[in-house]
Amino acid sequence: MQVPARLARSVAADLRGDHDGRAAALRPLLDVYLWTDSRSSFWPWGWEIVDALIAVGRSEQAAGIADSFHAHAATSGAYMRGCAEAAKARAAQDAGDLAEAERGFDRALTILMDGQNDTTVAKVLFSRGQMLRRANRRRDAVESLVRAREFYEGVGAEAQLRRCDRELRATGMAWRGSPDPDGSPVAPEGVDTIVLTLQEMSVADLVVQGMTNAEVSRRLFIAEKTVQYHLTHIYEKFGIRSRTELAAVHLGDGMPEV
């Protein structure tokens, strides 16, 4: 029970913004629960400690742990392999290899996209979005952060929701359906417009670019039936019936800069 107990302490420290406390909670596991060829943990503490060590400046140690975790998770189940890919991506990001980091986060999301790991998917999406925002790829960052925000809003995770909102504001971009301070999507004052939720905005912007539902599903890391669900609601809001009509109402002309 040492692993879940220490993970719980780590999460509590993370929510307080206490990076040293987060790393201290997990470090003892390195002495008693390292991965081997015959054993890997059910708990995703490998990813957590990599992120925690990077936050306190222990990059070399974090990279070594990410390599070990990734190697020993290769024959594990999908959940652990997804977490290992995320750990490697975080280490690559820290090393400045943003292209490999993005590929790693995308591999993690693809592995985890089975509908059973929503909490982990949201965490990966947030990390990916934060990385892209810092790389000044603001539009791509918004897509990831909006997806993470939708999950956290749905489960009432206030601390993570605030983090998403800070990152979204830091992109310096506005988007249709931008939330007001209480989290509700609102139209700009004095503008008569259709208001979409954050997820509807992401789906609509991709659909009007000519993407199929399957392509939107892969781009946003959501199920294809979820794309259709959002598209149906978008059509209802605009009183339209087709992708052609959706393009005609100018949803695809981009998100204006603030």
Side-chain angles (χ1 to χ4, degrees):
M1 295 301 293
Q2 186 172 172
V3 178
R6 290 194 171 278
L7 267 174
R9 294 181 197 173
S10 167
V11 170
D14 185 31
L15 292 176
R16 296 193 303 270
D18 179 6
H19 300 306
D20 289 323
R22 185 182 177 204
L26 295 172
R27 273 199 194 100
L29 296 178
L30 294 173
D31 297 325
V32 299
Y33 212 88
L34 280 176
W35 305 274
T36 68
D37 291 335
S38 60
R39 181 182 71 177
S40 63
S41 173
F42 167 80
W43 302 96
W45 67 277
W47 178 18
E48 294 292 338
I49 197 169
V50 166
D51 190 53
L53 289 172
I54 288 172
V56 296
R58 302 292 295 273
S59 297
E60 186 174 346
Q61 185 182 15
I65 292 170
D67 286 341
S68 176
F69 182 28
H70 190 267
H72 288 107
T75 57
S76 299
Y79 176 64
M80 198 55 59
R81 285 187 287 111
C83 290
E85 290 288 357
K88 282 281 287 184
R90 185 69 181 91
Q93 175 191 355
D94 184 52
D97 190 348
L98 299 187
E100 178 56 31
E102 184 175 7
R103 287 191 292 268
F105 282 130
D106 288 352
R107 285 194 296 269
L109 289 165
T110 298
I111 292 169
L112 294 166
M113 264 186 62
D114 62 1
Q116 303 298 314
N117 305 294
D118 289 350
T119 301
T120 305
V121 167
K123 186 174 177 64
V124 176
L125 283 166
F126 177 82
S127 295
R128 180 181 185 273
Q130 187 178 58
M131 177 191 72
L132 293 172
R133 193 272 298 171
R134 291 174 178 175
N136 203 35
R137 288 176 52 190
R138 298 177 298 166
R139 190 182 299 273
D140 293 330
V142 166
E143 284 186 4
S144 277
L145 293 167
V146 162
R147 281 283 294 120
R149 188 188 190 282
E150 182 183 57
F151 171 78
Y152 290 132
E153 183 177 30
V155 299
E158 295 296 330
Q160 290 91 336
L161 191 59
R162 288 193 295 272
R163 288 181 179 179
C164 287
D165 284 343
R166 283 197 297 269
E167 289 293 330
L168 283 165
R169 287 193 295 271
T171 65
M173 299 190 77
W175 59 93
R176 286 174 290 273
S178 297
D180 67 7
D182 71 1
S184 303
V186 294
E189 184 176 356
V191 177
D192 183 17
T193 187
I194 299 296
V195 176
L196 302 180
T197 67
L198 297 175
Q199 188 58 53
E200 288 169 349
M201 176 274 294
S202 294
V203 170
D205 281 346
L206 295 177
V207 166
V208 297
Q209 293 175 36
M211 289 191 183
T212 65
N213 285 7
E215 289 170 334
V216 174
S217 169
R218 289 191 293 271
R219 178 67 175 270
L220 296 180
F221 303 103
I222 57 178
E224 193 169 341
K225 65 182 180 181
T226 303
V227 175
Q228 184 57 53
Y229 171 84
H230 287 305
L231 199 53
T232 298
H233 280 271
I234 293 167
Y235 287 175
E236 289 175 351
K237 287 184 176 183
F238 282 95
I240 59 179
R241 297 181 179 181
S242 70
R243 280 169 151 76
T244 300
E245 289 179 287
L246 181 57
V249 295
H250 303 297
L251 282 179
D253 56 357
M255 293 179 291
E257 294 188 5
V258 173

